Amino acid sequence: MKEKQSQQRMDIEKLNGMINLSEEQMVKLRKRYERSVQHRNDRGINLIERNEEVCIFYEKVNIQDQMIRNGNVELQSREEEIRFAKMQLSEEKRNMELLRRNVPNKKALEEELMTLQIQLQHCQDRMLDLEKSLENPYDETRVRHLEGNDLPPADLQDKIELLETRLAEKEENLLEKDLIFEQVSRLATRTKGKAEAGKDDTLHLAKTVNDMQSRIKDTTRKMMAMVSELSMNQANAMKMQQQLKEQEAELEQCYIRMEKGEPPSEEID
């Protein structure tokens, strides 16, 4: 009985040591479990943050796409305006060319004016000579009767009115042509200014579109890198969740065996 009692005491001490070791293992497993849970929570938080960042990036990409579409629409409208302005400019140039062809040659008119002024000067000199000869009372040939019949005063007045009317019409036509020429010149100048401004706006818009496209490409590359990193983090999180489930099942099995009075596991035994 004493030998059995001592053997049982030794068995009890051994079992107590095993229980203490099992408790230490359980404490370590619990700490590992808590660290795994904390790590899993951190991973989940990081995953949520990454998902939010991906959503933000997608929203930015959508905004950039919308801006690019708006820029393309604006660029097309600018191109249409430039094309319309070029058509107007060509039309105005054609009208100006027609007006130049219709307007008399300035140089020829100046030469004709100079000739007429010379003739007028000769006529004035001749008239002075004739006046002097006419005023000479001793010259019998100062008076010369003209042949032919003079028109009645009424016919002369009608002819003078007709000539004045024709002269007024010519002056009015010349004034209209001058006004048309001035308007065409102003329109051509304004059209040219619009065309230059359209070129500057088109160049600035093209530069802006190129910058936006390069920024979108950079953002897309960054997003792809973030998506790859997010996939790796998700794979690691799934792996750790699997390990956590296995450890929880192992811990549950240890509790069940300890309740039966058996060692927690074969490794601990």
Side-chain angles (χ1 to χ4, degrees):
M1 290 296 291
K2 288 181 180 179
E3 289 177 0
K4 290 177 70 174
Q5 186 179 4
S6 60
Q7 184 66 33
Q8 288 177 358
R9 286 179 182 175
M10 290 174 64
D11 294 335
I12 290 169
E13 290 177 358
K14 187 184 293 185
L15 290 173
N16 288 329
M18 291 174 64
I19 291 170
N20 293 329
L21 183 61
S22 299
E23 289 178 353
E24 290 177 0
Q25 291 291 332
M26 287 177 61
V27 171
K28 291 180 180 179
L29 287 173
R30 189 175 288 109
K31 290 181 179 180
R32 288 180 60 188
Y33 173 74
E34 291 176 356
R35 286 197 300 269
S36 299
V37 170
Q38 184 65 31
H39 192 63
R40 183 195 63 182
N41 294 332
D42 295 336
R43 290 286 183 171
I45 293 170
N46 291 328
L47 183 61
I48 293 170
E49 292 177 354
R50 294 296 181 272
N51 286 327
E52 291 177 355
E53 291 178 358
V54 169
C55 293
I56 292 170
F57 281 130
Y58 276 121
E59 186 67 25
K60 288 182 179 179
V61 168
N62 293 329
I63 293 170
Q64 298 294 334
D65 292 335
Q66 184 65 31
M67 291 177 67
I68 289 173
R69 286 194 292 270
N70 295 333
N72 291 327
V73 172
E74 186 68 21
L75 183 61
Q76 290 178 358
S77 64
R78 293 291 183 181
E79 289 177 354
E80 291 293 333
E81 291 178 0
I82 291 170
R83 192 179 300 109
F84 183 70
K86 287 181 179 179
M87 292 174 61
Q88 286 185 343
L89 182 61
S90 61
E91 184 68 22
E92 296 298 335
K93 286 182 178 178
R94 188 176 66 81
N95 293 330
M96 288 173 64
E97 188 66 25
L98 292 174
L99 289 174
R100 286 196 187 96
R101 292 178 182 176
N102 294 328
V103 174
N105 193 357
K106 183 179 179 182
K107 188 175 181 180
L109 289 176
E110 289 178 352
E111 292 178 355
E112 186 179 357
L113 179 62
M114 189 177 294
T115 304
L116 291 175
Q117 286 178 352
I118 294 171
Q119 291 178 1
L120 178 61
Q121 187 65 35
H122 288 311
C123 291
Q124 288 177 354
D125 295 338
R126 177 65 178 166
M127 187 177 64
L128 291 174
D129 295 336
L130 291 174
E131 286 178 356
K132 289 180 181 180
S133 62
L134 184 63
E135 291 174 358
N136 189 4
Y138 300 104
D139 189 3
E140 295 179 358
T141 61
R142 63 181 182 174
V143 178
R144 181 172 63 86
H145 296 283
L146 299 175
E147 297 178 358
N149 296 323
D150 294 333
L151 293 174
D155 295 339
L156 289 175
Q157 186 66 30
D158 293 337
K159 192 170 184 179
I160 289 170
E161 290 178 356
L162 179 62
L163 292 173
E164 288 179 351
T165 303
R166 291 178 61 187
L167 180 62
E169 290 178 355
K170 294 292 184 182
E171 290 178 351
E172 185 177 358
N173 291 330
L174 182 61
L175 183 60
E176 289 179 356
K177 290 180 179 179
D178 290 336
L179 291 174
I180 291 171
F181 181 74
E182 290 178 359
Q183 290 178 358
V184 170
S185 300
R186 287 197 297 271
L187 286 173
T189 304
R190 187 164 58 251
T191 305
K192 186 176 180 181
K194 287 182 178 179
E196 294 294 333
K199 288 180 181 179
D200 296 335
D201 293 338
T202 304
L203 181 60
H204 179 68
L205 186 59
K207 290 181 179 179
T208 304
V209 170
N210 291 328
D211 293 336
M212 295 300 292
Q213 287 179 352
S214 62
R215 290 175 62 187
I216 287 171
K217 289 180 180 178
D218 294 336
T219 306
T220 304
R221 286 195 294 269
K222 291 180 180 178
M223 284 182 61
M224 293 298 292
M226 293 296 291
V227 168
S228 300
E229 185 179 357
L230 181 60
S231 299
M232 293 176 64
N233 290 329
Q234 287 178 350
N236 292 327
M238 292 176 66
K239 184 177 179 181
M240 294 190 71
Q241 286 179 357
Q242 185 66 28
Q243 292 178 358
L244 181 60
K245 289 180 181 179
E246 291 177 356
Q247 290 179 0
E248 287 178 351
E250 185 179 354
L251 182 62
E252 185 68 24
Q253 190 67 27
C254 290
Y255 279 124
I256 292 170
R257 293 187 64 175
M258 286 178 65
E259 288 177 356
K260 292 180 179 179
E262 297 178 358
S265 64
E266 295 178 357
E267 295 178 356
I268 295 173
D269 189 11

